[in-house]
């Protein structure tokens, strides 16, 4: 039910009106996120009798953010507050009218059922979340809950099942190696299951624009622009430290259906492998068209993958396509030779003092959008989640003074290494014209 609330800004209104069961909000500071979720919980509790949780990273934060600043400011006469339990109990509402985009609805609670109740909780005490069936839950600052995914999967998700309850995950970013980042990536790639929203203070017309700019200048003056980008702009990482800062999901990642429709039919099939045991084995499947555009369409990314298992999975994914180029880590001599014995025509990738820097340079050249076409020279299918994740994580090291170096960090680089081997091989297919032959009309033999 799309509710009409007093004075929501556009991002709040979009969130409140959306019907998805699961909502993921990547909102920065001063966007009005806590007020928005409070209004949602209150209105849902009016529409449907049941228990609702608002969970913050700690119980103390729940009390500070919601109880003191929001609950008692945005309250109704039909609510009873219990400060000892941090709970709000609703009166049994009868005849209350609520305006919605579909028209005015009249609320009528069943006096034989328990009244609606909102409870504020802390993720630092997960046992307090057990044993209650829920109609809805809000996880505020989800990125900062150390065991957030485990807590939701094992405690809160089962509690929502019986009542088909909903969940809202809302947070500012906290880097890229955590459950909130993973959830945001899933939400962006699966719009049928999730509502996703990104907002900054600029989306909140009630927050002064001059204050936003002044805050940015203060962060920049203190050398903390990275922190400003994360907390105020809700950005997950600093592109200046990323090896592939030119990578953009909006530009280079295509949903599976769009990828399959846009990929040309003519080109060559290529496979690049970075072997690993304790580290993941990463295999990247790349179709390269005759214009030199890379279409990264599949991946393998798995630890403890023994050679026979790898061969089985590779052949399964390769299918009947003829691969003109198979490249692996040139230092992995045992793996290369073992694959050759299994009839893989695999070549060792170039290794050397400058191979990493040169390979990175070759890959970077694929990302800029060309003026002539309005497109880059590389596209990644959205199902290649590990490749995408590494493009967004592979970073340069910082020195002891915090300055960014030109030395990549040895992590989040397994698929990156595989693609680098392919880039160093100058993998651009040449379209071969069929040789023109003249034939003797009597014998049928070629003259040349």
């Amino acid at each position: 039910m799309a509710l009409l609330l007093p004075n929501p800004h556009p991002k709040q209104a979009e969130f409140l009106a959306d019907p998805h069961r699961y909502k993921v909000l990547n909102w920065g500071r001063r966007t009005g996120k806590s007020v928005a979720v409070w209004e949602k919980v209150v209105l849902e509790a009016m529409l449907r009798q049941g228990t609702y949780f608002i969970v913050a990273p700690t119980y103390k934060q729940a009390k500070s953010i919601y109880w003191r600043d929001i609950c008692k400011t945005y309250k109704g006469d039909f609510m009873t507050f219990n400060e000892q339990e941090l709970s709000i109990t609703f009166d049994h509402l009868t005849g209350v009218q609520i305006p919605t985009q579909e028209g005015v609805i009249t609320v009528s609670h069943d006096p034989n059922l328990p009244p609606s109740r909102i409870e504020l909780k802390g993720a630092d005490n997960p046992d307090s979340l057990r044993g209650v069936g829920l109609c809805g839950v809000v996880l505020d600052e989800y990125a900062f809950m150390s065991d957030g995914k485990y807590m939701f999967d094992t405690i809160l998700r089962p509690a929502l099942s019986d009542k088909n309850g909903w969940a809202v995950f809302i947070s500012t970013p906290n880097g890229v190696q955590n459950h909130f980042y993973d959830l945001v990536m899933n939400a962006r790639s699966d719009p049928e299951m999730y509502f996703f929203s990104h907002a900054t203070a600029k989306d909140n017309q009630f927050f002064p624009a001059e204050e936003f700019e002044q805050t940015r200048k203060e962060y920049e003056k203190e050398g903390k622009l990275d922190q400003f980008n994360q907390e105020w702009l809700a950005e997950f990482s600093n592109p200046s430290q990323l090896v592939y800062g030119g990578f953009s999901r909006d530009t280079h990642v295509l949903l599976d259906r769009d990828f399959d429709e846009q990929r040309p039919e003519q080109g060559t099939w290529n496979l690049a492998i970075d072997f690993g045991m304790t580290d993941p084995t990463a295999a990247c499947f790349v179709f390269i068209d005759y214009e030199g555009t890379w279409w990264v369409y599949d991946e393998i990314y798995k630890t403890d993958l023994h050679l026979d298992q790898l061969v089985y999975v590779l052949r399964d994914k390769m299918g009947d396509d003829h691969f003109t180029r198979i490249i692996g880590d040139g230092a992995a001599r045992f793996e290369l030779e073992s694959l050759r014995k299994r009839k893989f025509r695999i070549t060792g990738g170039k290794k050397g003092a400058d191979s990493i820097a040169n390979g990175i340079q070759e890959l970077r050249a694929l990302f800029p959008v060309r003026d002539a076409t309005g497109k880059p020279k590389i596209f990644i299918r959205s199902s290649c989640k590990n490749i995408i994740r590494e493009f967004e994580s592979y970073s340069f090291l910082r020195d002891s003074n915090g300055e960014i170096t030109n030395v990549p960090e040895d992590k989040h680089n397994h698929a990156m290494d595989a693609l680098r081997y392919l880039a160093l091989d100058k993998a651009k297919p040449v379209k071969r014209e069929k040789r023109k032959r003249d034939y003797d009309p009597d014998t049928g033999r070629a003259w040349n």
Side-chain angles (χ1 to χ4, degrees), residues 43-87:
L43 285 158
E44 292 285 353
M46 294 173 66
L47 291 170
R48 182 186 181 192
Q49 285 173 262
T51 301
Y52 300 82
F53 282 177
I54 298 177
V55 185
T58 67
Y59 184 77
K60 184 177 180 180
Q61 284 177 291
K63 186 172 185 177
S64 175
I65 297 171
Y66 283 96
W67 192 261
R68 295 175 182 171
D69 297 339
I70 296 177
C71 296
K72 292 188 177 182
T73 301
Y74 299 87
K75 65 179 182 179
D77 297 333
F78 49 86
M79 303 178 188
T80 300
F81 289 75
N82 186 323
E83 187 159 4
Q84 185 175 359
E85 296 180 353
L86 293 191
S87 66

Side-chain angles (χ1 to χ4, degrees), residues 1 10 46 53 57 59 63 72 98 151 164 167 185 238 249 263 289 329 351 362 395 397 439:
M1 188 66 68
M46 294 173 66
F53 282 177
Y59 184 77
K63 186 172 185 177
K72 292 188 177 182
I98 302 177
M151 179 187 67
N164 194 34
M185 297 304 106
N238 176 25
R249 278 180 176 259
R263 189 184 73 185
D289 66 30
D329 183 354
K351 308 285 281 191
E362 292 290 339
S395 301
L397 289 168
Y439 297 91

Side-chain angles (χ1 to χ4, degrees), residues 116-146:
S116 286
R117 179 181 174 90
I118 300 173
E119 298 183 22
L120 305 185
K121 298 289 186 178
D124 54 343
N125 184 16
D127 288 338
S128 69
L129 308 176
R130 297 181 182 274
V132 179
L134 298 175
C135 290
V137 62
V138 171
L139 293 101
D140 195 1
E141 294 297 2
Y142 183 58
F144 298 88
M145 299 179 185
S146 57

Side-chain angles (χ1 to χ4, degrees), residues 129-323:
L129 308 176
R130 297 181 182 274
V132 179
L134 298 175
C135 290
V137 62
V138 171
L139 293 101
D140 195 1
E141 294 297 2
Y142 183 58
F144 298 88
M145 299 179 185
S146 57
D147 295 316
K149 186 177 188 307
Y150 174 82
M151 179 187 67
F152 180 77
D153 290 347
T154 61
I155 300 175
L156 295 174
R157 179 64 181 85
L160 296 169
S161 297
D162 292 344
K163 300 181 182 296
N164 194 34
W166 50 262
V168 174
F169 306 85
I170 185 167
S171 188
T172 53
N174 184 27
V176 298
Q177 298 305 316
N178 60 67
H179 50 278
F180 182 61
Y181 174 84
D182 293 339
L183 181 62
V184 167
M185 297 304 106
N186 288 336
R188 292 185 62 173
S189 63
D190 190 358
E192 292 186 5
M193 182 172 182
Y194 298 97
F195 166 81
F196 172 73
S197 174
H198 172 258
T200 71
K202 289 184 175 181
D203 295 301
N204 181 2
Q205 72 264 31
F206 305 110
F207 186 75
E210 58 272 16
E211 180 66 18
F212 181 87
E213 291 302 323
Q214 180 61 36
T215 302
R216 185 190 64 79
K217 291 178 182 178
E218 292 172 1
Y219 274 81
E220 186 175 19
K221 185 177 180 179
E222 296 177 6
K224 298 180 179 179
L225 199 55
D226 290 2
Q227 185 178 348
F228 177 84
N229 291 340
Q230 176 170 273
E231 296 182 5
W232 287 81
L233 298 182
E235 293 182 356
F236 279 98
S237 57
N238 176 25
S240 64
Q241 190 176 348
L242 291 176
V243 173
Y244 297 107
F247 173 81
S248 166
R249 278 180 176 259
D250 293 336
T251 302
H252 303 105
V253 178
L254 297 176
L255 294 176
D256 292 358
R257 182 179 62 184
D258 296 333
F259 183 99
D260 297 339
E261 290 178 350
Q262 295 182 33
R263 189 184 73 185
E265 294 184 1
Q266 300 298 317
T268 61
W269 307 91
N270 304 268
L271 172 60
I273 309 171
D274 185 61
F275 302 101
M277 286 299 291
T278 55
D279 289 330
T281 290
C284 304
F285 296 79
V286 185
F287 179 86
I288 302 179
D289 66 30
Y290 289 130
E291 299 299 323
T293 300
W294 289 30
W295 300 81
V296 184
Y297 67 92
D298 205 350
E299 66 176 8
I300 296 171
Y301 199 91
K302 188 173 177 59
T303 55
D304 299 323
L305 193 61
H306 297 291
L307 203 58
D308 288 336
Q309 295 173 308
L310 174 61
V311 168
Y312 177 82
V313 178
L314 285 174
R315 292 199 184 282
D316 182 61
K317 286 184 174 289
M318 293 170 73
D320 297 328
D321 296 319
H322 175 68
F323 281 70

